Protein backbone atom coordinates (compact mmCIF):
# COMPACT_ATOMS: atom_id res chain seq x y z
CA UNK A 1 0.00 0.00 0.00
CA UNK A 2 1.41 3.38 -1.02
CA UNK A 3 -1.37 5.74 0.08
CA UNK A 4 -3.69 5.74 3.09
CA UNK A 5 -6.58 8.10 3.89
CA UNK A 6 -8.32 7.75 7.25
CA UNK A 7 -11.20 9.92 8.42
CA UNK A 8 -13.68 10.19 11.28
CA UNK A 9 -12.30 7.32 13.32
CA UNK A 10 -10.47 6.40 16.50
CA UNK A 11 -7.07 4.87 15.84
CA UNK A 12 -5.37 2.66 18.41
CA UNK A 13 -2.44 0.59 17.21
CA UNK A 14 -1.95 -2.95 18.49
CA UNK A 15 1.34 -3.79 20.27
CA UNK A 16 2.32 -5.94 17.28
CA UNK A 17 1.98 -3.05 14.78
CA UNK A 18 4.83 -3.22 12.25
CA UNK A 19 3.87 -0.25 10.10
CA UNK A 20 3.55 0.21 6.38
CA UNK A 21 6.99 -0.12 4.84
CA UNK A 22 5.91 1.17 1.40
CA UNK A 23 3.54 3.97 2.44
CA UNK A 24 4.34 7.26 0.67
CA UNK A 25 1.19 9.33 1.32
CA UNK A 26 -0.72 9.53 4.63
CA UNK A 27 -3.81 11.65 5.28
CA UNK A 28 -5.67 11.82 8.59
CA UNK A 29 -8.92 13.79 8.74
CA UNK A 30 -10.75 14.00 12.08
CA UNK A 31 -8.83 11.02 13.42
CA UNK A 32 -8.76 10.58 17.18
CA UNK A 33 -5.21 9.44 17.90
CA UNK A 34 -2.76 10.15 20.70
CA UNK A 35 0.48 11.92 19.91
CA UNK A 36 2.42 8.77 20.93
CA UNK A 37 0.39 6.59 18.56
CA UNK A 38 0.74 9.13 15.76
CA UNK A 39 4.51 9.30 16.26
CA UNK A 40 4.72 5.50 16.23
CA UNK A 41 2.59 5.24 13.09
CA UNK A 42 4.70 7.81 11.22
CA UNK A 43 8.04 6.36 12.36
CA UNK A 44 7.09 2.94 10.94
CA UNK A 45 6.60 4.38 7.45
CA UNK A 46 10.19 4.88 6.24
CA UNK A 47 9.23 5.99 2.70
CA UNK A 48 6.65 8.58 3.80
CA UNK A 49 6.85 11.72 1.63
CA UNK A 50 3.48 13.41 2.23
CA UNK A 51 1.72 13.82 5.57
CA UNK A 52 -1.54 15.67 6.23
CA UNK A 53 -3.10 15.89 9.68
CA UNK A 54 -6.41 17.77 9.54
CA UNK A 55 -8.62 18.38 12.55
CA UNK A 56 -7.23 15.44 14.48
CA UNK A 57 -6.79 15.02 18.21
CA UNK A 58 -5.18 17.88 20.00
CA UNK A 59 -1.52 17.12 20.48
CA UNK A 60 0.52 18.55 23.35
CA UNK A 61 3.51 17.97 21.11
CA UNK A 62 4.34 15.89 18.10
CA UNK A 63 7.74 14.63 17.03
CA UNK A 64 7.92 13.56 13.42
CA UNK A 65 10.61 11.10 12.43
CA UNK A 66 10.33 10.86 8.64
CA UNK A 67 13.55 11.38 6.73
CA UNK A 68 11.89 11.36 3.28
CA UNK A 69 9.10 13.80 4.20
CA UNK A 70 8.69 16.49 1.51
CA UNK A 71 5.22 17.82 2.32
CA UNK A 72 3.60 18.37 5.73
CA UNK A 73 0.24 19.96 6.46
CA UNK A 74 -1.21 20.36 9.95
CA UNK A 75 -4.58 21.93 10.76
CA UNK A 76 -6.23 21.97 14.20
CA UNK A 77 -9.91 21.76 15.09
CA UNK A 78 -9.53 25.08 16.83
CA UNK A 79 -6.68 27.24 17.91
CA UNK A 80 -6.64 29.42 20.98
CA UNK A 81 -4.30 32.39 21.19
CA UNK A 82 -3.76 34.48 24.27
CA UNK A 83 -2.48 38.02 23.79
CA UNK A 84 -1.22 40.32 26.53
Amino acid sequence: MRSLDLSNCVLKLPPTFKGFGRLVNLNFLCVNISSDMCELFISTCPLLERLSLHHCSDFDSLEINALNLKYFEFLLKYFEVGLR
Side-chain angles (χ1 to χ4, degrees):
M1 177 170 32
R2 298 192 43 86
S3 185
L4 178 62
D5 297 325
L6 293 177
S7 62
N8 300 304
C9 63
V10 175
L11 183 59
K12 293 184 181 180
L13 303 174
T16 58
F17 181 70
K18 300 291 186 205
F20 297 100
R22 296 182 181 201
L23 195 69
V24 175
N25 186 32
L26 177 61
N27 297 303
F28 284 172
L29 173 63
C30 299
V31 173
N32 186 342
I33 184 172
S34 71
S35 56
D36 290 340
M37 288 285 171
C38 192
E39 289 171 6
L40 174 62
F41 194 105
I42 293 167
S43 70
T44 58
C45 302
L47 300 180
L48 192 64
E49 294 180 1
R50 298 180 62 84
L51 174 62
S52 295
L53 304 173
H54 290 197
H55 310 293
C56 293
S57 301
D58 299 326
F59 302 118
D60 292 335
S61 65
L62 183 64
E63 185 172 321
I64 297 173
N65 182 10
L67 297 176
N68 291 317
L69 197 64
K70 297 176 183 170
Y71 174 85
F72 175 63
E73 188 171 63
F74 184 75
L75 300 172
L76 294 174
K77 290 181 185 175
Y78 58 87
F79 190 71
E80 185 175 310
V81 176
L83 300 175
R84 294 184 183 195

